[in-house]
Amino acid sequence: GAREDAGGDDEYARAVGALAAILDGVVRHPDDEKRRRLRRANPRFHGDVARHDGGCEALFAAGFHLQTLAGGDALASSAGVPYDEDDGEVFLVLREPDPISDGLDAWSGFFDTLKESAARVAAEEQAIGARRVVATDAPAPAWANRAR
């Protein structure tokens, strides 16, 4: 199962705690683009989430997708400009629909899916007694995209 794939109870709890912190942070601050863009190559993100079976898949289920951005360009993310992977970095990106251009139903569906995913991970976190890696009211995590 996922617990064995994560390398035991402690690593599984750390992965679940990290996922809970990511999703809870996005639910609490859905307009914060930094919380909706995770650099896949960041060592801490890789160690806490990405290296474990099901880690990235849990984020994909919440609506994140892989996107290559030139130098992590925030404008490229919002414009949806594709880049060749050799020219940029790979991120897990959660695109927030615009309630005006995409419609309120699209935004509501996005947020409902996000909340449901966060609730599932939080329930697992509570069931195993995982401790969060990052406080939910803290600034965006270190493995989130930051200006260089």
Side-chain angles (χ1 to χ4, degrees):
R3 191 173 301 220
E4 292 81 23
D5 294 338
D9 288 344
D10 289 343
E11 289 201 27
Y12 179 73
R14 185 168 180 83
V16 170
L19 285 168
I22 291 167
L23 294 173
D24 187 58
V26 177
V27 167
R28 289 177 182 260
H29 308 282
D31 294 333
D32 185 351
E33 193 170 335
K34 288 181 183 178
R35 293 179 186 271
R36 293 185 287 112
R37 189 176 55 236
L38 309 170
R39 190 167 48 94
R40 189 173 71 173
N42 182 286
R44 181 152 181 205
F45 175 71
H46 179 76
D48 290 347
V49 176
R51 72 184 176 100
H52 301 297
D53 288 346
C56 288
E57 289 79 1
L59 293 171
F60 296 151
F64 282 82
H65 64 276
L66 290 177
Q67 186 171 359
T68 302
L69 306 175
D73 185 1
L75 295 176
S77 172
S78 60
V81 178
Y83 287 90
D84 183 68
E85 194 164 321
D86 295 335
D87 294 336
E89 287 188 83
V90 178
F91 289 80
L92 276 80
V93 177
L94 179 62
R95 181 188 164 274
E96 178 185 15
D98 183 297
I100 304 300
S101 63
D102 296 325
L104 192 53
D105 287 344
W107 191 91
S108 294
F110 150 83
F111 200 62
D112 288 346
T113 298
L114 180 61
K115 289 189 300 185
E116 289 167 10
S117 295
R120 273 190 241 111
V121 172
E124 178 67 5
E125 178 187 38
Q126 186 174 19
I128 64 170
R131 291 178 44 193
R132 292 200 179 182
V133 176
V134 179
T136 58
D137 290 332
W143 26 260
N145 181 41
R146 299 216 176 189
R148 292 183 210 152

